[in-house]
Amino acid sequence: MARLFDTHSHLNAPQLAEELEAVIQRAKEAHVERIVIPGYDLAACERAVALAEKHEGLYAAVGFHPTDVRGLTQKDYERLAEWSQLDHVVAIGEIGLDYHWDTTTKEEQHEAFRRQIHLAKDLNMPIIIHDREAHADIVRILKEEGAKEVGGIMHCFSGSWEMAKECMNMNFMISFGGPVTFKNAKRPQEVARQVPTDYLLIETDAPYLTPEPHRGKRNEPSYVVHVAEKIAALREMDFEELCEITWKNAERLFRLGNV
């Protein structure tokens, strides 16, 4: 069985807290050998870091989600910089823009997004991008802030093939989660067929966006196998080859040594 790398799983989310050890064990049994846990607020970053310290194969990203940026202080950003120095912290994220919810203004989101890109560049770390209903502004700000210097991941990509090409030109890999398995997901499937293998990643975004055939249930990292199976089928390629390609891509992006 091929090894799998879930590049985006919120093992730090409250929905998984009670059953967390069992969730991690099921991931191992499904050959999900590495998982990146992105932060979204201070408490979530702290939990991600603690989990990565405790479990082999788990890694943390630290960052402020666009819906959680109101009221951030200089001290909060300094805390991100401190966490980023730890060996098992591999990226700044998830950061970006989210125009679906109204917990923060666009201005607040833009400021926090730019500030965290600056931090990633100062630290020479890749960025994990959250983009919801904000495609044009995401691309514009990444260009304006020179994010190409560090690159990263377009997490759970939902944009067009044209947008994917712009992001890849800025050294961002394209990651697909559960929605690529949905029957009506024509655009993600179209993009998943076309992304060059060097830019392809898989994820779950657990506990959210559960793939078929478990849609409607809480998501978990072991389900990333269904994402891999779907993309392999879309691309008419061998499943184990797809797993190994996405593993090596994630390893390269996060600068992790060979296992």
Side-chain angles (χ1 to χ4, degrees):
M1 176 68 183
R3 54 189 179 173
L4 291 152
F5 196 136
D6 183 352
T7 60
H8 197 110
S9 184
H10 291 290
L11 296 178
N12 49 353
Q15 296 96 315
L16 296 174
E18 288 187 9
E19 204 190 353
L20 186 57
E21 293 302 321
V23 166
I24 293 171
Q25 183 59 35
R26 284 195 291 272
K28 291 178 180 177
E29 291 168 0
H31 302 278
V32 184
E33 296 182 18
R34 283 181 165 173
I35 302 168
V36 171
I37 310 165
Y40 47 90
D41 60 19
L42 278 172
C45 290
E46 191 164 8
R47 288 195 298 274
V49 168
L51 285 167
E53 287 177 338
K54 181 179 179 183
H55 295 274
E56 185 178 356
L58 301 190
Y59 302 89
V62 293
F64 300 126
H65 188 283
T67 61
D68 290 293
V69 297
R70 178 164 291 172
L72 291 175
T73 65
Q74 175 63 25
K75 188 176 179 181
D76 297 332
Y77 285 101
E78 289 170 0
R79 191 77 182 99
L80 285 192
E82 289 169 10
W83 277 320
S84 72
Q85 306 300 317
L86 301 172
D87 289 343
H88 45 273
V89 176
V90 295
I92 299 299
E94 63 184 282
I95 70 174
L97 302 175
D98 189 317
Y99 294 168
H100 182 76
W101 304 107
D102 60 358
T103 56
T104 50
T105 65
K106 287 184 179 180
E107 291 74 21
E108 289 170 322
Q109 291 189 31
H110 289 196
E111 180 187 358
F113 188 25
R114 292 180 190 274
R115 189 163 181 176
Q116 291 178 96
I117 294 171
H118 294 168
L119 176 63
K121 289 171 64 178
D122 288 343
L123 299 167
N124 193 29
M125 296 182 78
I127 304 167
I128 300 173
I129 299 293
H130 172 97
D131 167 24
R132 188 167 186 185
E133 299 172 17
H135 300 332
D137 283 351
I138 285 279
V139 171
R140 177 177 60 82
I141 290 174
L142 289 175
K143 286 180 178 176
E144 288 174 357
E145 298 300 338
K148 183 176 183 177
E149 288 181 26
V150 291
I153 301 178
M154 303 306 296
H155 139 65
C156 203
F157 188 75
S158 60
S160 65
W161 173 234
E162 292 304 315
M163 180 184 176
K165 287 190 287 187
E166 286 195 88
C167 294
M168 289 186 288
N169 284 337
M170 291 187 284
N171 295 325
F172 280 83
M173 294 189 182
I174 309 298
S175 184
F176 297 94
V180 78
T181 70
F182 301 168
K183 291 175 183 176
N184 61 349
K186 292 181 180 178
R187 188 156 74 168
Q189 291 176 6
E190 175 193 342
V191 177
R193 285 189 187 97
Q194 297 182 79
V195 171
T197 53
D198 285 353
Y199 287 88
L200 190 61
L201 294 172
I202 55 175
E203 63 171 89
T204 56
D205 198 20
Y208 317 107
L209 300 176
T210 312
E212 298 287 359
H214 302 287
R215 193 175 182 185
K217 302 176 184 176
R218 187 203 62 203
N219 202 1
E220 60 179 71
S222 62
Y223 294 164
V224 78
V225 64
H226 303 298
V227 177
E229 287 172 343
K230 181 64 177 183
I231 295 174
L234 288 168
R235 297 173 70 97
E236 298 181 344
M237 66 187 293
D238 179 73
F239 166 75
E240 295 207 356
E241 182 187 6
L242 184 281
C243 293
E244 192 62 16
I245 284 168
T246 53
W247 174 282
K248 288 179 177 176
N249 287 346
E251 198 174 62
R252 185 174 73 252
L253 176 74
F254 294 124
R255 301 167 195 162
L256 299 172
N258 293 323
V259 174

